[in-house]
């Protein structure tokens, strides 16, 4: 589903990513773990086509991110960090706007919106202005817009950051449910989040992949966990 080969990116003299390579298979749920500044958002922006790498190739579902942008966008549902929602719009009006932007055919929009709203537990919030929702519910709206076009891949940038413990549990439950229908890559700086949700983890530090492992493999290497807990 995702194939990243030799990706590097610098902002001026700051090297954000250095020779990053990995693959993610269809159906996986993978955590991209790293501390602040590790390069997670830069990598996600490159995967979603919002940023061009200086070097390297990325394909999503077999489509090249740089040259087959529309095909790539059709396959990806993206939740940016601090998703730019319109606070004055109702949930319904916002999702209608996003359905238009995603070119969901008008005849299918009502059903797609209803499914996304149901899947994210927003049914009783439809008429509420987004600005009046809690941060947890705003994240649900962000997830609802990400699945409107029924993407095969969800890329979520720190989906639980800034949420309270109850909201974190709810969003994790939601991510687990969404994983039944899509491959998921999400970023986080919390090791326990990856353990709670994923089979596999990619650890990014200083712009480099420091580990690419199944959680069970990491757990057997007790020292590795200790090191990660200290570093991440
Ligand atoms: P966070 O968890 O804080 O969002 P991150 O792992 O997502 O961190 P990035 O935001 O990708 O990391 O940043 C990687 C490096 O690139 C950092 O050193 C950051 O300061 C730098 N950086 C990111 N965006 C820019 C930019 N637009 N201009 C200059 N430097 C940037």
């Amino acid at each position: 589903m995702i194939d990243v080969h030799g990706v590097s990116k610098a902002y001026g003299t700051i090297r954000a990513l250095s020779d990053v390579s990995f693959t993610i298979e269809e159906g996986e749920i993978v955590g991209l773990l790293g501390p602040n500044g590790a390069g997670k958002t830069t990598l996600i922006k490159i995967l979603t086509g919002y940023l061009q790498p200086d070097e390297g190739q990325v394909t999503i579902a077999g489509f090249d991110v740089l040259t087959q942008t529309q095909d790539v966008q059709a396959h990806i549902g993206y939740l940016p960090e601090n998703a730019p929602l319109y606070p004055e719009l109702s949930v319904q009006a916002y999702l209608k706007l996003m359905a238009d932007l995603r070119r969901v055919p008008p005849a299918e929009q009502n059903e797609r919106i209803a499914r996304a709203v149901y899947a994210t537990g927003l049914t009783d919030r439809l008429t509420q202005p987004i600005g009046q929702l809690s941060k947890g519910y705003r994240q649900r709206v962000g997830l609802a817009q990400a699945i409107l076009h029924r993407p095969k891949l969800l890329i979520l940038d720190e989906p639980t950051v800034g949420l309270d413990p109850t909201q974190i549990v709810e969003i994790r439950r939601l991510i687990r449910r969404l994983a039944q229908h899509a491959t998921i890559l999400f970023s986080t700086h919390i090791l326990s989040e990856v353990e709670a949700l994923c089979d596999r983890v990619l650890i990014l530090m200083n712009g480099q992949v420091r580990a690419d492992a199944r959680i069970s493999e990491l757990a057997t290497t007790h020292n590795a966990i200790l090191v990660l807990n200290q570093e991440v």
Side-chain angles (χ1 to χ4, degrees):
M1 183 57 81
I2 301 180
D3 195 351
V4 176
H5 185 72
V7 163
S8 296
K9 177 75 187 175
Y11 302 100
T13 55
I14 299 171
R15 213 161 160 68
L17 295 174
S18 301
D19 196 20
V20 169
S21 298
F22 61 88
T23 58
I24 294 180
E25 303 298 330
E26 193 170 346
E28 283 193 292
I29 172 163
V30 176
L32 179 63
L33 179 68
N36 288 343
K40 303 182 297 295
T41 298
T42 301
L43 178 58
I44 282 178
K45 284 185 177 165
I46 288 172
L47 296 182
T48 51
Y50 285 87
L51 205 59
Q52 289 202 1
D54 298 332
E55 290 169 49
Q57 293 86 42
V58 178
T59 57
I60 303 282
F63 297 104
D64 185 276
V65 166
L66 290 180
T67 58
Q68 297 171 293
T69 317
Q70 285 201 351
D71 292 304
V72 168
Q73 298 295 345
H75 281 81
I76 296 180
Y78 173 37
L79 176 69
E81 196 176 8
N82 303 315
L85 309 172
Y86 295 84
E88 72 283 1
L89 289 185
S90 69
V91 172
Q92 187 155 32
Y94 171 72
L95 292 177
K96 168 82 175 72
L97 175 69
M98 295 311 286
D100 284 338
L101 288 176
R102 295 272 154 65
R103 299 197 178 90
V104 175
E108 293 178 27
Q109 287 191 0
N110 284 346
E111 194 204 334
R112 296 275 192 94
I113 291 172
R115 281 177 187 273
V117 160
Y118 177 74
T120 51
L122 285 166
T123 309
D124 58 350
R125 307 287 162 135
L126 269 182
T127 56
Q128 215 167 328
I130 291 171
Q132 290 179 9
L133 298 175
S134 67
K135 183 131 201 276
Y137 271 91
R138 289 205 299 277
Q139 276 305 62
R140 288 171 190 250
V141 177
L143 287 167
Q145 64 79 26
I147 61 175
L148 274 178
H149 55 304
R150 292 192 294 206
K152 283 279 172 213
L153 171 65
L154 285 175
I155 298 184
L156 315 174
D157 197 354
E158 304 229 21
T160 63
V161 79
L163 303 184
D164 69 33
T166 311
Q167 293 167 342
I168 289 175
V169 169
E170 285 169 1
I171 294 297
R172 284 182 186 170
R173 193 179 298 143
L174 200 48
I175 291 172
R176 232 177 262 122
R177 213 185 305 148
L178 295 175
Q180 292 169 6
H181 306 282
T183 306
I184 295 187
L185 174 67
F186 73 93
S187 67
T188 179
H189 56 270
I190 306 168
L191 177 61
S192 61
E193 182 142 289
V194 171
E195 291 176 309
L197 283 173
C198 304
D199 291 330
R200 189 172 148 221
V201 62
L202 286 167
I203 297 173
L204 202 61
M205 307 208 52
N206 297 322
Q208 293 179 309
V209 176
R210 291 275 294 270
D212 176 352
R214 305 195 72 74
I215 293 294
S216 53
E217 290 166 359
L218 275 184
T220 56
T221 315
H222 186 62
N223 285 344
I225 291 287
L226 286 179
V227 170
L228 292 171
N229 272 328
Q230 282 160 11
E231 290 188 2
V232 173

